[in-house]
Amino acid sequence: MYLASTLVICAFIFISFFFPLLNQEFDLSLKAMAIDGWDFLDWLGADTSARIFTHLDDPADLVRSASVSRSWNKFITSNGFVKNLCIRLCPEASNVASNNSDDHNIYTNLIKNLVNSNEENQSCISKCIAASSTDRFPAERIENTLESEDVVRGRLSYWSSKGEEDSDKSETLIYGLVSNLCIVDEIKIRPWLALHLDNQVYSAKFVRFKLGCLKFSDSWPKERNHFISDDNFVWTYTSPEFPMQQENELHSFKLPRPVLCIGGVVQIELIGRAQRCYIDNLFYIR
């Protein structure tokens, strides 16, 4: 098998690097092992083999390694290499499972999804939980943000905050995801172009994202606006701030790395207000 031969040769390089005084006869015998397909786990021992596997930083390589043979699978599973790599790539995964026999399968599935997250682009927002403010309810409610069209069933469809005199006042929108475990790598937002008012774009100045879960219950609260406070959530990830352009386009905000959202809640924090409305001279986000 190609992968097995590659790792045996890697073992040869590893040993040669740390033990430069090995004689030629030893080197030749190890090369012969690679050619004959010997299992280097038995020959090198657990400690040296573990050092080699910890240098694999591609999840796909580690998952394939576990499929080489029963001994490799047992060695990788018992030492938790897949779990450790998954947590290194995605720190939130440390809260997913406990130390038991199912850890390997759980983290293998997680790490496969981390790999596939760069290939598959699926929307994972399923419901609205709350908005920090709404100007005209229900016409400008948060549920309108899930519509892809500007006009739905003959009416304008958009969310609007209440007006504020302070242009630095932020707003937050909170959504529920399709599952309590979702991998999020990018979030897209399109500011509203108020053609019916002044033909201006009412965007925020910056945007930041938080991922986590409700603190007090497994179900969504009935009076949603009472639960907008951060005190009611456990945020396991907070993104950096992203600047937001005042343009009526779909803005894509790529997170620094794929993030495992445990709990199925995402908060969009809209920071600052860029546009004042000429009607009441207040700043809005829409």
Side-chain angles (χ1 to χ4, degrees):
M1 182 175 289
Y2 172 75
L3 180 59
S5 299
T6 301
L7 284 177
V8 173
I9 292 172
C10 286
F12 167 74
I13 297 172
F14 182 85
I15 287 182
S16 297
F17 177 78
F18 285 100
F19 301 97
L21 299 180
L22 295 176
N23 59 38
Q24 184 177 8
E25 181 179 353
F26 177 85
D27 291 344
L28 292 175
S29 66
L30 189 55
K31 288 180 179 178
M33 286 176 57
I35 296 172
D36 293 340
W38 287 23
D39 192 337
F40 77 85
L41 295 183
D42 295 332
W43 198 90
L44 294 178
D47 291 342
T48 303
S49 299
R51 290 290 300 275
I52 295 169
F53 276 110
T54 55
H55 281 76
L56 291 178
D57 54 6
D58 188 331
D61 288 342
L62 197 52
V63 171
R64 285 194 293 264
S65 297
S67 303
V68 169
S69 67
R70 290 181 181 178
S71 65
W72 285 35
N73 183 277
K74 181 179 179 181
F75 186 77
I76 291 172
T77 301
S78 61
N79 284 278
F81 294 127
V82 173
K83 175 181 177 179
N84 293 337
L85 178 58
C86 188
I87 293 174
R88 194 164 77 237
L89 296 176
C90 188
E92 303 81 22
S94 60
N95 300 317
V96 172
S98 58
N99 293 324
N100 56 54
S101 58
D102 292 330
D103 271 10
H104 177 75
N105 292 332
I106 293 172
Y107 284 102
T108 296
N109 289 329
L110 283 176
I111 214 164
K112 286 179 179 178
N113 282 288
L114 282 173
V115 174
N116 294 333
S117 67
N118 295 323
E119 302 173 359
E120 302 177 3
N121 187 9
Q122 300 178 356
S123 174
C124 59
I125 291 180
S126 68
K127 62 185 75 175
C128 301
I129 299 180
S132 54
S133 76
T134 301
D135 188 30
R136 294 187 301 119
F137 186 87
E140 298 174 334
R141 60 185 178 177
I142 183 178
E143 281 78 5
N144 293 339
T145 62
L146 299 184
E147 301 287 354
S148 59
E149 302 296 329
D150 291 339
V151 179
V152 177
R153 293 184 290 276
R155 61 173 178 79
L156 295 174
S157 180
Y158 64 96
W159 165 80
S160 175
S161 71
K162 289 185 177 296
E164 296 285 348
E165 294 182 355
D166 184 1
S167 63
D168 292 329
K169 184 71 178 293
S170 297
E171 297 283 349
T172 55
L173 305 176
I174 301 181
Y175 298 90
L177 305 184
V178 295
S179 170
N180 285 334
L181 288 177
C182 287
I183 294 175
V184 181
D185 66 346
E186 123 180 281
I187 297 176
K188 297 179 180 180
I189 301 174
R190 182 165 65 90
W192 170 253
L193 174 63
L195 291 172
H196 65 300
L197 288 177
D198 49 13
N199 203 34
Q200 298 295 323
V201 176
Y202 287 80
S203 69
K205 296 177 181 177
F206 299 90
V207 63
R208 179 167 53 207
F209 310 104
K210 295 180 180 180
L211 304 176
C213 64
L214 281 167
K215 181 185 295 184
F216 54 88
S217 174
D218 293 330
S219 60
W220 308 121
K222 293 181 180 179
E223 300 296 331
R224 295 178 306 176
N225 289 339
H226 294 172
F227 298 92
I228 197 71
S229 170
D230 276 352
D231 294 337
N232 297 309
F233 297 90
V234 177
W235 302 120
T236 56
Y237 173 81
T238 301
S239 78
E241 288 186 13
F242 297 93
M244 197 166 189
Q245 300 298 320
Q246 196 173 3
E247 298 175 355
N248 179 228
E249 296 179 356
L250 191 63
H251 301 285
S252 177
F253 301 98
K254 192 82 171 178
L255 300 183
R257 58 173 175 82
V259 177
L260 178 64
C261 179
I262 303 173
V265 179
V266 58
Q267 180 196 84
I268 299 176
E269 184 180 4
L270 302 164
I271 304 171
R273 301 160 186 253
Q275 184 61 43
R276 189 192 298 269
C277 179
Y278 77 94
I279 296 177
D280 55 12
N281 208 33
L282 298 177
F283 290 94
Y284 291 82
I285 302 177
R286 291 167 170 154

